[in-house]
Amino acid sequence: MATNRTFTMIKPDATGAGHTGAILDKIIKAGFSIKAMKYTRLSAERAGQFYAVHKERPFYSDLVDYMSGGTIVAAILEKNNAVEDFRTLIGATNPEEAAEGTIRKLFATSIAANAVHGSDSDENAQIEGSFFFSDLEKF
Ligand code: GDP
């Protein structure tokens, strides 16, 4: 995957609250194009694998329960400077600290249920995209 791509998930709190369309609209209007998208659900095992980097954190089991507790939308997005620009669009991890107008400020309810994921590096965008889309090289 090229460095103009990032990976996102719309998380269970946001899909469950009916925010999927509004969040996708914000993403598209911010200039990202959707290269691949999947409406799916993570098992607890797969959620644990995705967030393995946080295994030692006190919130790990809550995070796994939450991320496997409902529908998610996984997508690969393309734009110049995608990783950094998408992190700006979603805002800080804790919605109370997120800037006005960001997706987390608008739609997140807590630091745990924070509406969206965005990769934090080009390398992780590649790894995380491959976690959901096995045929990445085709698009
Ligand atoms: P991100 O890169 O902004 O998503 O933040 P992190 O990589 O630090 O954390 C990954 C995810 O774990 C966050 O998006 C939250 O869903 C969750 N998380 C982070 N910090 C906390 C916390 O203190 N408590 C709980 N319950 N969840 C957290």
Side-chain angles (χ1 to χ4, degrees), residues 11 51 54 57 59 62-63 66 87 93 104 111-114 116-118:
K11 298 184 178 183
Y51 283 109
H54 293 307
R57 307 281 284 277
F59 58 82
D62 285 346
L63 178 59
Y66 154 62
R87 296 283 295 190
T93 307
R104 282 171 166 166
I111 191 168
N114 62 1
V116 280
H117 169 81

Side-chain angles (χ1 to χ4, degrees), residues 78-100:
E78 199 165 270
K79 183 184 183 296
N80 285 339
N81 203 34
V83 166
E84 194 183 337
D85 286 2
F86 194 71
R87 296 283 295 190
T88 302
L89 179 68
I90 67 177
T93 307
N94 184 348
E96 287 176 18
E97 292 163 12
E100 289 299 326

